[in-house]
Amino acid sequence: MKREALKYDADGAPPLYMTVALAFMHVLLVFDAIIFIPNVLGKTVGLPPQALSFITFAITLVAALFTFLQSRGKFGVGAGFVLFTGSYSAFLLCSVDAVKMGGLPLMASMILLTAPVVFLYTFFIRFFRHIITPAVGGVVVLLIATNMVPIGLSLWAGGEAGQTVAMSRVAVGAITVLTLVILMLFGGPRLRIWSPLIGMGCGYGAAILAGVADFEHAAGAAWFGLPDLSAWPGLELHLHAAHLPLWLAFLMAMVASMIESTGNIMLVQQISTRDFRRVSYDQVQSGLYCDGLSKIAAGLLGTAAPSLYCDNLPLIEMTGVASRRVGAAGAAILLALAFMPKVSGVVLDMPGPVIGGFLVVIAALLFHAGFGLVAMTRLSNQNGIILGLSLVVGLVAGGRSFFPGVVPESLSPLLQNSVAMGGFTAFLLSTLAYLAPKRGVEGAFRADVAEMAAMQHLLASGAARLRLDKERFNVLSLCCEEVFCYMAAGGAPDSERKLSLRIERTEDGLFTEMVCGHKMDDINNFAVPESFLQATPDELDRIGLVLFSQYARDVKHLEISGYSYISFLV
């Protein structure tokens, strides 16, 4: 997938002034969400001011550190893209219940006790490759976009539901949206880079002229400050059976966070890579390990559980700047905000119509990105039903007006969370579809061309089970031979190397997957020589792949945890 509008990809180096300006824009969009749960805890459970100040400071520090690590992607920790971290709304109610039951120490202990599920899922992610697919990630992104529209409109309108909306707020939001849309549609590449800042400036100017700008947070805040470090809550070590339901609630929220983070990492790869071909599950793993570590750090500091955001990712498409330097600069800004209450107050005081208009445009871009992820997976009848049901369940859950009184109040923030329930549905249905009995054959061989006869024997013995006529058998045999030779030729010679083969009959045809324990070049990354007489030996070796590409459909090559997976349909 070519991205011609991408001016700076993840490895790009935009000028310093551009990096800082765009990083500030990213922070403006996510800072309110970063400190969301501490704010709610302060208003609902009556936390002492010192404790509230400490957990707000702590979540900002966690966000700064792990946003930086995500952008670097070193030593297997961090995806290497612009991914911001902050408190996650699915943890809201269980965090409130934990604080009411045992204070902040109990909340911290629950986070630490459930965070290991992220590491388990990440370590074994190769076994979920047919379950957590780009299409499932796309459904999660589409539900996030659907959820974002009413939030943006609510901020735009302001006031209580049912009240008459002031025309001044309508005008300010409309100016913000129109400025962004006009610049994105008709602006040149250089102008599009600055479209968020220009849109923000026009919106702020309109808000000040209309009298809807308010700087209540910044007015009374100090320029520099540090919380009382003695307010660290510690951990609750005396747990008993009464805490089990709370633990289960945190576990469900942790799984929801894990699924959404997987989709977010897939999305940022797609929009940040100039010539995007496939999702790198190694980068998904690295990003999830970093996400898991952020949860551990939050638990040790006694603050809210964090997760990865995608709310700000459409800025990359708006501006064409995906450089990881923007993520690092954003982390530095968050670190400064942790120690500068006055500046963080200015960020929180962004006028509602301005941020609301921004979110509406961002939701539109998320729809585009979500459909792109869904389109990466072949939509068979089964896949289409799974994705459709997942979207419907998410929309029903997010609507909150369906079946009133049925959902227990204690579980409503999770069961009425469209992203969590849609993601759970996609995960569950995909798992059931994968585990359902299918007509097929499988076998394992040494990764050596001398084992070709054994593979052919397996195919011949399974022809009746797969209901193959002679022509289909010959096509399947040819495709399997080419992939077997290609995979066996990769990697260092080793008599212990194994190559496994699995063939299943599906509604789309014969699904075939081969797996081996070493990495190799993408099987789709070959070119037909212009002249076979002048072709190099390497080009001649790949002539068989030309035939393979004529008969095989939906060819995919994944690399996860050092294993290579090549699958195709016949």
Side-chain angles (χ1 to χ4, degrees):
M1 182 183 297
K2 295 279 188 181
R3 290 196 168 265
E4 305 296 344
L6 198 59
K7 188 172 179 64
Y8 297 97
D9 63 8
D11 295 319
L16 180 61
Y17 69 89
M18 184 185 297
T19 300
V20 174
L22 294 179
F24 189 69
M25 285 299 307
H26 282 273
V27 171
L28 281 175
L29 285 174
V30 300
F31 187 69
D32 196 29
I34 287 173
I35 61 174
F36 170 68
I37 289 184
N39 273 345
V40 173
L41 289 177
K43 294 174 182 177
T44 57
V45 297
L47 287 178
Q50 296 89 345
L52 178 59
S53 175
F54 181 86
I55 65 172
T56 303
F57 172 79
I59 190 61
T60 309
L61 275 186
V62 169
L65 173 61
F66 288 93
T67 296
F68 176 77
L69 292 177
Q70 287 287 5
S71 69
R72 295 293 88 192
K74 301 293 186 182
F75 310 112
V77 176
F81 296 103
V82 180
L83 282 167
F84 280 76
T85 295
S87 65
Y88 180 51
S89 59
F91 289 97
L92 176 60
L93 190 71
C94 55
S95 297
V96 171
D97 289 343
V99 175
K100 288 180 178 178
M101 186 182 294
L104 290 173
L106 181 59
M107 180 185 76
S109 295
M110 289 294 112
I111 294 172
L112 291 174
L113 288 172
T114 53
V117 71
V118 178
F119 295 98
L120 285 173
Y121 162 75
T122 305
F123 184 78
F124 293 107
I125 195 171
R126 64 191 181 95
F127 297 108
F128 295 95
R129 65 190 181 278
H130 296 298
I131 298 170
I132 306 295
T133 62
V136 172
V139 167
V140 170
V141 172
L142 289 173
L143 288 170
I144 292 171
T146 304
N147 214 30
M148 193 176 288
V149 172
I151 294 174
L153 293 177
S154 175
L155 289 168
W156 187 342
E160 299 293 330
Q163 289 184 350
T164 303
V165 181
M167 288 306 297
S168 58
R169 298 184 69 91
V170 174
V172 170
I175 289 172
T176 305
V177 171
L178 287 174
T179 304
L180 286 170
V181 170
I182 290 171
L183 290 175
M184 286 190 301
L185 289 178
F186 306 111
R190 292 186 178 182
L191 190 59
R192 278 201 302 270
I193 291 178
W194 300 105
S195 59
L197 278 176
I198 295 172
M200 183 74 66
C202 292
Y204 250 111
I208 293 172
L209 292 175
V212 298
D214 186 5
F215 298 95
E216 59 173 337
H217 292 93
W223 279 103
F224 299 96
L226 193 66
D228 182 1
L229 299 183
S230 65
W232 175 65
L235 301 174
E236 175 59 71
L237 302 178
H238 303 289
L239 301 174
H240 45 80
H243 293 130
L244 182 60
L246 183 65
W247 179 82
L248 290 173
F250 268 90
L251 184 64
M252 289 180 68
M254 198 66 70
V255 172
S257 165
M258 182 180 75
I259 295 173
E260 184 175 339
S261 293
T262 303
N264 292 344
I265 299 171
M266 290 178 176
L267 172 62
V268 77
Q269 286 186 51
Q270 180 195 16
I271 65 177
S272 301
T273 307
R274 196 180 304 279
D275 188 11
F276 180 75
R277 292 180 178 271
R278 64 185 182 186
V279 168
S280 168
Y281 279 83
D282 285 343
Q283 288 177 317
V284 172
Q285 275 188 306
S286 298
L288 288 173
Y289 278 132
C290 189
D291 184 46
L293 289 173
S294 73
K295 291 172 168 61
I296 296 293
L300 292 174
L301 289 173
T303 190
S307 190
L308 298 178
Y309 293 147
C310 73
D311 307 28
N312 60 302
L313 294 183
L315 278 182
I316 294 174
E317 292 202 287
M318 282 188 198
T319 62
V321 179
S323 171
R324 58 175 59 95
R325 292 188 178 189
V326 174
I333 292 172
L334 286 173
L335 185 64
L337 292 177
F339 295 94
M340 300 177 68
K342 176 76 76 175
V343 180
S344 62
V346 171
V347 174
L348 289 174
D349 286 331
M350 184 189 300
V354 178
I355 187 63
F358 245 92
L359 290 180
V360 169
V361 176
I362 282 176
L365 295 174
L366 282 177
F367 275 116
H368 171 250
F371 285 126
L373 282 174
V374 170
M376 291 177 62
T377 302
R378 182 181 181 83
L379 281 185
S380 63
N381 182 59
Q382 187 181 73
N383 286 337
I385 291 174
I386 289 174
L387 298 182
L389 285 173
S390 303
L391 280 171
V392 169
V393 169
L395 292 173
V396 169
R400 304 189 180 190
S401 57
F402 301 98
F403 313 115
V406 174
V407 177
E409 186 178 351
S410 60
L411 294 177
S412 60
L414 190 62
L415 297 182
Q416 292 183 335
N417 183 312
S418 62
V419 178
M421 295 311 299
F424 277 137
T425 302
F427 180 84
L428 178 61
L429 294 179
S430 297
T431 302
L432 293 176
Y434 178 68
L435 296 177
K438 299 179 183 69
R439 190 179 291 272
V441 297
E442 58 182 47
F445 315 92
R446 287 186 297 107
D448 189 331
V449 291
E451 292 282 280
M452 193 82 72
M455 184 193 69
Q456 289 290 359
H457 177 73
L458 175 70
L459 294 178
S461 62
R465 180 174 176 78
L466 293 170
R467 298 175 180 173
L468 298 178
D469 56 30
K470 186 174 181 180
E471 181 181 357
R472 182 68 67 86
F473 173 80
N474 289 334
V475 170
L476 177 64
S477 178
L478 171 67
C479 291
C480 288
E481 282 183 10
E482 291 302 330
V483 176
F484 192 102
C485 291
Y486 182 77
M487 299 187 85
D494 185 352
S495 60
E496 299 301 319
R497 288 191 302 142
K498 296 294 182 182
L499 191 154
S500 63
L501 167 67
R502 179 170 61 91
I503 305 173
E504 294 175 351
R505 191 171 189 87
T506 68
E507 61 187 39
D508 292 321
L510 295 169
F511 174 81
T512 306
E513 183 179 57
M514 292 192 183
V515 184
C516 65
H518 59 270
K519 294 185 177 182
M520 62 198 68
D521 291 339
D522 192 332
I523 194 171
N524 295 302
N525 190 23
F526 72 91
V528 180
E530 295 181 3
S531 170
F532 289 109
L533 295 176
Q534 299 178 354
T536 65
D538 286 341
E539 289 175 332
L540 291 175
D541 286 342
R542 296 199 173 193
I543 293 299
L545 294 180
V546 178
L547 291 174
F548 168 73
S549 66
Q550 298 302 309
Y551 290 108
R553 297 176 290 129
D554 199 25
V555 180
K556 294 180 180 177
H557 187 155
L558 303 178
E559 292 183 348
I560 314 174
S561 302
Y563 287 81
S564 292
Y565 302 82
I566 297 178
S567 63
F568 56 91
L569 281 171
V570 172

